[in-house]
Amino acid sequence: MTAQPGAGIPTGPSGPTGSETDGTDEVADLFRALGRQIKVARERAGLSQKELGDRLGYGEETISSVERARRTPQPELLVAVDALLECGGLLASAAEDVERAKTRRRVRHPEWFKDYARLEQEAVELHDYSSLVLPGLLQTETHANVVFRTRQPFLDAATIEQRVAARLDRQQIFNRWPPPFTTFTIEESILHRPLGGWNVHREQLEALLRFGALRGVELQVLPMERKEHPSLGGPFIMLTPKGKSQVAYLEVQHISRLITDPDEVRILAARYGSIRAQALTPEESLTLIKKMLGDR
């Protein structure tokens, strides 16, 4: 059978940020306070966001997002920053508070996206084929902002901010242990489209290199020069929740569709295998991205 969560805008999750009644305002206040403390400690040490990220093994956009409370400050990040910047346990002591707060902070998705978002958080495997836009799980904050800001009909500023925050929050699955096994196969043409301008695009390409280097992540590029293509019907995602059967997810224009029918899922899984077979290897793909960065 096929479940249809409903119609929606296929640009990612959104929804309210919460209210005092569910405790999310207090959680937001905690994350803002921790973000400010990290920023103060970083600036006191004379480090830029990039320099701090490089020393800790995080991307510049991650540090930026945490400082602005756009992304949950993971306990391991707090401990690492505390040790590196000699905060005397101020940040490390908040790690337990963050763990408790994470259970209270709920990123609310629109009805049409809720089923998929729930399954994504439970995923032990996720395989994403993208043909027009980068996967939301791999987008930087600035890139995601451009995606939502330029879509039509236009979104208001508050909605854009909510959707960007929700998209970044989904990336927490990479911090789980053990991490889910994820593969991303991206059309080369996407990498040549500098959404938001070259500076935004450069940051995004650099982020792809970091994502591609993560354990459990394989990033592949499907070259434009291929003479055959097994999936001209568009992008899709294959997802396996823990202890459950594999499902597929589609988004096109204003329609989203969660596919659970075994035969349909099997066909898409086979199609994804064909796509990966025609793509560059993960190593070749990262080399191509590095070359694109070096050419500018």
Side-chain angles (χ1 to χ4, degrees):
M1 63 179 291
T2 298
Q4 286 189 272
I9 306 302
T11 48
S14 63
T17 56
S19 65
E20 291 183 354
T21 57
D22 62 17
T24 50
D25 276 357
E26 290 88 343
V27 172
D29 288 342
L30 170 63
F31 291 170
R32 279 193 291 269
L34 290 173
R36 287 194 295 268
Q37 289 171 0
I38 292 173
K39 180 179 180 181
V40 169
R42 174 180 60 78
E43 292 180 341
R44 183 185 62 189
L47 297 176
S48 67
Q49 291 175 339
K50 184 178 187 308
E51 289 170 334
L52 178 59
D54 288 344
R55 294 194 185 189
L56 297 176
Y58 290 87
E60 178 182 1
E61 75 280 358
T62 297
I63 302 300
S64 174
S65 297
V66 168
E67 288 187 353
R68 288 184 289 161
R70 292 288 188 86
R71 180 174 298 196
T72 302
Q74 294 301 307
E76 55 270 24
L77 173 62
L78 294 175
V79 172
V81 172
D82 194 297
L84 178 66
L85 302 184
E86 300 180 352
C87 298
L90 178 65
L91 294 174
S93 64
E96 291 185 6
D97 293 330
V98 169
E99 283 291 358
R100 286 192 294 269
K102 284 163 61 179
T103 65
R104 299 173 63 191
R105 187 191 200 195
R106 299 181 305 196
V107 176
R108 297 179 179 177
H109 304 295
E111 289 299 322
W112 61 269
F113 195 78
K114 281 184 177 179
D115 287 343
Y116 173 79
R118 174 179 52 80
L119 293 174
E120 184 179 79
Q121 292 304 307
E122 302 173 2
V124 293
E125 284 193 29
L126 187 149
H127 309 287
D128 185 310
Y129 164 61
S130 295
S131 59
L132 293 175
V133 65
L134 287 171
L137 285 173
L138 303 184
Q139 291 181 15
T140 65
E141 180 180 351
T142 49
H143 182 101
N145 188 280
V146 172
V147 170
F148 291 120
R149 179 166 47 81
T150 58
R151 60 133 291 186
Q152 296 183 16
F154 296 126
L155 300 172
D156 60 77
T159 300
I160 293 173
E161 182 176 359
Q162 291 169 3
R163 295 194 177 185
V164 170
R167 175 156 293 182
L168 294 177
D169 195 82
R170 288 171 56 207
Q171 296 175 1
Q172 302 298 337
I173 69 168
F174 295 119
N175 297 322
R176 284 178 9 209
W177 185 261
F181 174 56
T182 54
T183 68
F184 299 91
T185 308
I186 301 168
E187 290 285 345
E188 181 184 354
S189 57
I190 298 175
L191 303 180
H192 290 283
R193 183 177 297 118
L195 288 181
W198 177 246
N199 288 337
V200 172
H201 193 55
R202 169 179 285 279
E203 179 188 58
Q204 180 61 71
L205 293 180
E206 291 172 343
L208 290 180
L209 294 178
R210 289 192 293 272
F211 279 118
L214 293 176
R215 292 179 65 184
V217 176
E218 293 185 0
L219 175 63
Q220 293 180 255
V221 176
L222 185 60
M224 292 187 295
E225 64 183 18
R226 294 292 188 257
K227 297 179 181 179
E228 297 182 356
H229 199 300
S231 186
L232 293 175
F236 59 91
I237 297 173
M238 308 300 301
L239 186 149
T240 305
K242 184 176 182 179
K244 299 178 182 179
S245 300
Q246 189 176 50
V247 299
Y249 180 72
L250 310 177
E251 286 183 4
V252 56
Q253 294 298 334
H254 298 277
I255 302 298
S256 63
R257 185 180 174 206
L258 184 65
I259 300 174
T260 58
D261 179 82
D263 288 335
E264 291 188 64
V265 172
R266 176 184 54 80
I267 290 171
L268 287 172
R271 188 172 297 162
Y272 187 74
S274 297
I275 294 171
R276 290 195 71 192
Q278 294 189 27
L280 300 175
T281 67
E283 182 178 358
E284 292 169 340
S285 299
L286 296 183
T287 298
L288 173 63
I289 295 173
K290 291 176 183 177
K291 183 178 185 301
M292 294 176 67
L293 282 166
D295 286 344
R296 289 300 298 258

